[in-house]
Amino acid sequence: LFLARCTSDSSGEADATIWTSYGDSISDVSNSIPATEAANILETGELAIGLFEAEIVQSCMTMGCWMSVKGPQGDPVMVFMKDHAFFVPKDSVQGKRALFSGEAYYDTLSVEFQKHLLEDAGADQAVIDAVSEPVFELAFEASGVQIADVPEGAPMAGE
């Protein structure tokens, strides 16, 4: 599915963004929350559920079953595709704007799972071997994702 949204900037020129959808459809993109605000919402004791927006840092190079986005201090924060029900491109989306519907939460990532994620990301073996402690960090589970201006032919799972 492709969706186009046109907006005007202060100079009056139209900005046509081509959105590519993955997973559940996202019908209303007008009330997105910067992903960097999710930690603040969780700190208040409220659930952080809704439509989040962030810049993609990387996606899983094996299947596209996760992506990392810029978090609160510019650090990468994981976005996992709910139930592995859909995938995003394995490459070519770094630096692209993403909207994703779902929930933010804190979770402990085991040493084994961190190493698995690093393998999926194509990290050097020395980086993988250096992981020795579980980490407690912010993450998201997405039921639907839209990515702005995905290049034609971006590699998907199975390619």
Side-chain angles (χ1 to χ4, degrees):
L1 289 172
F2 290 96
L3 300 175
R5 180 171 82 175
C6 296
T7 58
S8 295
D9 61 20
S10 59
S11 67
E13 294 181 26
D15 171 33
T17 301
I18 307 287
W19 292 94
T20 306
S21 297
Y22 308 91
D24 291 349
S25 66
I26 300 171
S27 57
D28 182 9
V29 298
S30 63
N31 292 317
S32 64
I33 304 163
T36 55
E37 292 297 317
N40 294 338
I41 295 168
L42 290 170
E43 285 177 15
T44 68
E46 293 187 38
L47 294 176
I49 298 173
L51 181 64
F52 298 94
E53 181 175 349
E55 180 182 326
I56 299 172
V57 175
Q58 183 175 18
S59 59
C60 171
M61 296 176 69
T62 303
M63 292 190 65
C65 58
W66 58 260
M67 61 184 181
S68 60
V69 298
K70 283 191 179 177
Q73 280 76 45
D75 53 328
V77 175
M78 300 303 296
V79 178
F80 299 101
M81 306 314 146
K82 185 175 183 175
D83 300 327
H84 277 81
F86 65 97
F87 305 103
V88 297
K90 300 185 296 184
D91 196 3
S92 308
V93 293
Q94 297 81 354
K96 301 291 184 187
R97 196 166 122 219
L99 296 170
F100 46 97
S101 61
E103 180 175 2
Y105 58 93
Y106 281 98
D107 195 15
T108 300
L109 301 182
S110 69
V111 170
E112 181 181 325
F113 191 57
Q114 290 177 71
K115 288 183 176 193
H116 171 77
L117 293 173
L118 288 167
E119 289 169 357
D120 281 354
D124 291 331
Q125 191 61 47
V127 173
I128 296 168
D129 292 342
V131 176
S132 61
E133 300 280 329
V135 294
F136 186 71
E137 64 183 26
L138 178 66
F140 293 87
E141 181 179 62
S143 59
V145 174
Q146 288 186 347
I147 301 174
D149 302 320
V150 174
E152 188 173 327
M156 295 294 293
E159 296 178 359

